[in-house]
Amino acid sequence: MTDKEKEKAETKRKAEELLRSHFKGENEITDEKLIDIINEIKKDKPLNNLFEKFKKSYKFFVDFDDNGEKTEKNFFRYFKISSPSELNINPEEITSKYSPLEMFLISILWKQGDFGKEQRILDGIKKNEIIPTVFPQFGRFLKTLSDENHNDEPNYENIEPIIDQHSLRAFCFSKDIEYNEGRDPSYDVYDKYIKCYKSVIRNCKCEDKELCFLMLNEIMFILGKALKK
């Protein structure tokens, strides 16, 4: 076994240990527990690399000042959808309807081979039902996020979790559910994940529910990615 393979195996072992110790049962999530998990992640170099990468991307959602206080430049607080129809991309109107920034973002979708996949996200936004694949679930997250942002006091239990292959892998491991790599999970697995996630948010003893919501998404992604064979 090479040094790189040994490091990967040790990181996988560490991720399994964290999931067993913190997510196997129905223990309450507290500020202290979340901090403990993050501190353990930081001790492992590959896990910490994922954490730092994830943290940079999450600045789009929430950022902190020098004192560790959340700033008001918070995407979560301002994301609102007036009507799903306004999100449709019409290729025939590219030159007349869209701003330079919108055209730039559309070009990235096209370059990545993802142009057209936004319709799958719209399916999740428009339909009030579980569609057990990543993009529609992300649409459900955006829709429920927008709905709560119309309230003065958002209820984070009502916001759908962000689910991908990594977070599902972590969840299935922690609950002893079979996870089949490369295959879309069943409706039942998605339903269990969502119910469990919302239960954690509802019962968590964190003072800042928004930060709890963000950190749980982050932790499940990082640990699930480390479990990948």
Side-chain angles (χ1 to χ4, degrees), residues 8-211:
K8 185 175 181 180
E10 176 58 23
T11 295
K12 184 173 182 290
R13 186 200 64 77
K14 185 67 175 179
E16 290 175 348
E17 181 184 301
L18 286 170
L19 286 165
R20 286 194 189 100
S21 61
H22 293 288
F23 295 104
K24 271 289 184 186
E26 301 297 328
N27 298 329
E28 293 175 338
I29 295 292
T30 63
D31 289 309
E32 291 76 15
K33 177 179 278 193
L34 288 173
I35 292 169
D36 285 346
I37 297 170
I38 293 296
N39 285 337
E40 288 298 316
I41 285 173
K42 288 180 178 180
K43 291 178 184 177
D44 182 273
K45 184 177 177 181
L47 286 179
N48 187 56
N49 288 341
L50 285 172
F51 172 72
E52 291 298 327
K53 182 178 179 181
F54 206 78
K55 190 168 68 173
K56 286 179 182 177
S57 67
Y58 252 54
K59 283 192 173 185
F60 180 64
F61 295 104
V62 60
D63 204 357
F64 299 87
D65 60 24
D66 293 338
N67 297 318
E69 298 294 328
K70 282 191 302 184
T71 69
E72 288 303 312
K73 296 177 181 178
N74 187 340
F75 176 82
F76 271 98
R77 294 279 173 82
Y78 299 104
F79 183 85
K80 293 180 181 179
I81 300 171
S82 300
S83 168
S85 62
E86 69 187 3
L87 303 176
N88 284 301
I89 299 175
N90 185 348
E92 296 179 1
E93 298 179 326
I94 289 289
T95 57
S96 60
K97 180 178 178 181
Y98 302 107
S99 70
L101 176 59
E102 289 170 324
M103 292 176 69
F104 173 69
L105 295 175
I106 291 170
S107 73
I108 294 175
L109 283 176
W110 173 79
K111 179 64 174 66
Q112 294 295 106
D114 289 330
F115 187 73
K117 291 183 181 178
E118 72 281 352
Q119 291 300 318
R120 298 289 290 149
I121 297 177
L122 284 170
D123 287 343
I125 290 174
K126 293 174 182 177
K127 297 177 182 178
N128 186 27
E129 60 187 52
I130 295 174
I131 305 173
T133 46
V134 173
F135 276 23
Q137 177 61 26
F138 186 62
R140 295 184 78 214
F141 158 73
L142 292 175
K143 175 62 168 60
T144 50
L145 170 65
S146 173
D147 289 347
E148 286 305 310
N149 277 345
H150 284 86
N151 299 326
D152 293 333
E153 294 292 333
N155 182 349
Y156 289 94
E157 184 190 338
N158 293 335
I159 300 176
E160 291 286 318
I162 301 170
I163 303 177
D164 68 1
Q165 60 169 315
H166 304 305
S167 56
L168 272 176
R169 188 183 299 112
F171 170 73
C172 288
F173 176 85
S174 71
K175 301 301 179 187
D176 294 319
I177 298 171
E178 182 179 1
Y179 179 79
N180 296 311
E181 293 284 355
R183 294 174 57 187
D184 288 337
S186 66
Y187 173 99
D188 185 55
V189 172
Y190 259 71
D191 186 49
K192 286 179 179 177
Y193 184 105
I194 292 166
K195 286 178 178 175
C196 179
Y197 199 98
K198 291 188 175 186
S199 174
V200 170
I201 296 296
R202 178 172 63 252
N203 296 317
C204 82
K205 301 303 180 183
C206 301
E207 292 183 10
D208 189 335
K209 293 266 186 175
E210 179 184 42
L211 193 57

